[in-house]
Amino acid sequence: MNISERIESYWDTRSDAFNKLRLRELKSPNAIAWHGLLAKHVPLERPLRILDVGTGTGFFTFLLCRHGHTVTGIDMSHQMVHNARRNAANFHSTATFEKMDATKLQYEDETFDAILSRNLTWTLPDPKAAYKEWLRVLKPKGVILNFDSDYGKTQFTRNEGRVHAQIDTTLLDECTAIKNSLAISQETRPAWDMAIFKELGAQEVSVLNDVRQDVQKDDNLQYEEIEIFMIRVVK
């Protein structure tokens, strides 16, 4: 099994529990807070065509469809996409979901007004290729918001009350092993990501180093004790 297959298998296994967590979050104060943060950095006052890369089971996608945007969520995990589509049916949502590699997007150039991603790039074998593709399918002056953490030197543990608390120890060990095998884990982030976007020709690249205080509003849904950065890119 190659690294991409291992990553897909890991997220397939996590999908059902992950889905329950994200469905809880959609109903929590966190969802309102996330939308407020997105609206500060993407022109959400008009209908947009948005790509949610590494959608999981659809958190960002459903959040933005509620507000009239046309959103497509993609994920490399078959089971994540299956759960997302089931959620869409249950919500009577206009959201669409596709199984797709974030580094090989099956869309024409300049298709989307905005691209969003949350907790994805730390687990990509080739994030530079992904960033190149994201810029390709983004319209001129379009915006990318990439939320992630510098997990490279972090040892995942089952911290009580946090997102990894219920994960089987064997599965958590596999997550750590995958992370440690990826080149991105050796980089200092988000500085590395910002440099890559500039190298690829982005017009504007900026960062918020930690958005947890902006989006973590539910004490029962605690994120990991590590900064969540937001990179904002304008093509």
Side-chain angles (χ1 to χ4, degrees):
M1 187 182 295
N2 64 33
I3 188 61
S4 293
E5 291 169 338
R6 280 182 71 187
I7 293 168
E8 181 175 351
S9 176
Y10 170 80
W11 289 111
D12 279 347
T13 304
R14 286 245 352 240
S15 180
D16 288 349
F18 185 89
N19 187 44
K20 291 177 182 177
L21 181 68
R22 287 292 176 258
L23 289 177
R24 282 179 59 201
E25 193 166 30
L26 271 174
K27 298 176 182 178
S28 82
N30 287 6
I32 297 170
W34 272 107
H35 184 267
L37 179 62
L38 297 178
K40 288 181 181 178
H41 299 283
V42 178
L44 296 180
E45 67 278 359
R46 59 183 176 88
L48 301 178
R49 186 170 184 189
I50 299 172
L51 181 65
D52 179 13
V53 186
T55 186
T57 59
F59 179 79
F60 273 169
T61 299
F62 293 123
L63 189 65
L64 291 168
C65 279
R66 290 175 180 173
H67 295 269
H69 303 286
T70 301
V71 192
T72 300
I74 65 168
D75 205 284
M76 72 179 299
S77 162
H78 169 81
Q79 193 61 31
M80 289 285 192
V81 172
H82 170 76
N83 280 330
R85 287 173 174 166
R86 185 173 61 184
N87 291 338
N90 290 338
F91 296 157
H92 305 288
S93 173
T94 60
T96 57
F97 296 94
E98 301 292 340
K99 185 180 185 302
M100 197 178 300
D101 186 337
T103 68
K104 299 174 183 176
L105 300 181
Q106 298 165 28
Y107 301 110
E108 298 294 327
D109 295 357
E110 301 180 3
T111 296
F112 297 96
D113 299 292
I115 296 174
L116 307 178
S117 184
R118 177 185 177 190
N119 292 354
L120 168 71
T121 43
W122 70 273
T123 189
L124 289 179
D126 192 349
K128 182 177 180 178
Y131 292 161
K132 185 176 181 180
E133 276 288 270
W134 301 2
L135 286 167
R136 179 184 67 79
V137 303
L138 191 65
K139 294 177 183 179
K141 305 297 183 183
V143 177
I144 296 170
L145 296 185
N146 180 25
F147 298 91
D148 208 359
S149 297
D150 190 4
Y151 286 119
K153 298 174 179 62
T154 299
Q155 181 70 34
F156 295 132
T157 59
R158 297 179 66 185
N159 291 339
E160 193 63 35
R162 296 187 181 272
V163 294
H164 288 122
Q166 304 303 319
I167 300 176
D168 177 82
T169 301
T170 302
L171 197 58
L172 201 56
D173 289 345
E174 171 67 352
C175 181
T176 298
I178 289 170
K179 173 184 68 68
N180 290 344
S181 74
L182 298 174
I184 187 68
S185 295
Q186 306 306 313
E187 305 294 346
T188 300
R189 307 183 65 200
W192 179 87
D193 308 71
M194 296 176 70
I196 293 298
F197 275 118
K198 291 174 183 176
E199 178 187 322
L200 292 172
Q203 287 199 12
E204 299 176 26
V205 184
S206 59
V207 66
L208 293 178
N209 288 316
D210 194 2
V211 302
R212 285 176 299 171
Q213 65 179 3
D214 298 308
V215 295
Q216 186 171 279
K217 302 299 183 181
D218 189 333
D219 291 339
N220 296 314
L221 288 167
Q222 293 289 309
Y223 301 139
E224 289 299 311
E225 293 176 313
I226 184 172
E227 293 180 349
I228 301 172
F229 61 75
M230 183 196 81
I231 301 173
R232 183 178 189 270
V233 178
V234 179
K235 182 174 177 179

